[in-house]
Amino acid sequence: MTLRTYQDNGLGSFGGRRSISRAGAGSRHTTGTCNNVLLCADLKNKRATPILTTVTARSPDEYLAWAKSDAEIFVTVLDGTLVVHSRLYEPLELNKGDSVYYDATTEHTWTSKGPADAVVLWVLVNI
């Protein structure tokens, strides 16, 4: 895939950027708790990072450390049941078709509930 950008105003800003991820493609990153596919990873310096994730963890204890970042996160469940754990809130159970948007500056983590791994689409937005 070729990525082209065009200078739109002569002042160093760029317009018309785009990136395409085809089905089954993407930059894969596997951890002990999730199988992640970074979508549209070739586009640099973007504010939003889309990630297709299969959550394999069944307990927060499987994480060495809970996540925390200067971002906001949108997640929608594509399949299975996801439980979002937070140091601020009670665990939140989300089923297929459910979504949540949250501030990631509070420590959080996620697990699957039930026999099937949850498959989710995350969008991390840098703030």
Side-chain angles (χ1 to χ4, degrees), residues 53-127:
T53 298
T54 300
V55 180
T56 58
R58 292 298 189 280
S59 168
D61 296 334
E62 295 180 47
Y63 289 85
L64 297 176
W66 286 31
K68 182 179 177 180
S69 67
D70 289 331
E72 293 179 341
I73 295 177
F74 168 81
V75 61
T76 189
V77 180
L78 303 176
D79 200 20
T81 301
L82 178 75
V83 181
V84 180
H85 305 268
S86 166
R87 299 283 189 205
L88 190 57
Y89 298 104
E90 292 296 318
L92 173 65
E93 189 172 304
L94 300 170
N95 296 298
K96 183 177 181 177
D98 293 342
S99 301
V100 65
Y101 190 105
Y102 63 92
D103 177 351
T105 59
T106 298
E107 288 184 306
H108 60 280
T109 193
W110 38 89
T111 58
S112 288
K113 180 177 179 183
D117 292 338
V119 178
V120 301
L121 177 65
W122 306 95
V123 180
L124 283 73
V125 180
N126 296 321
I127 53 176

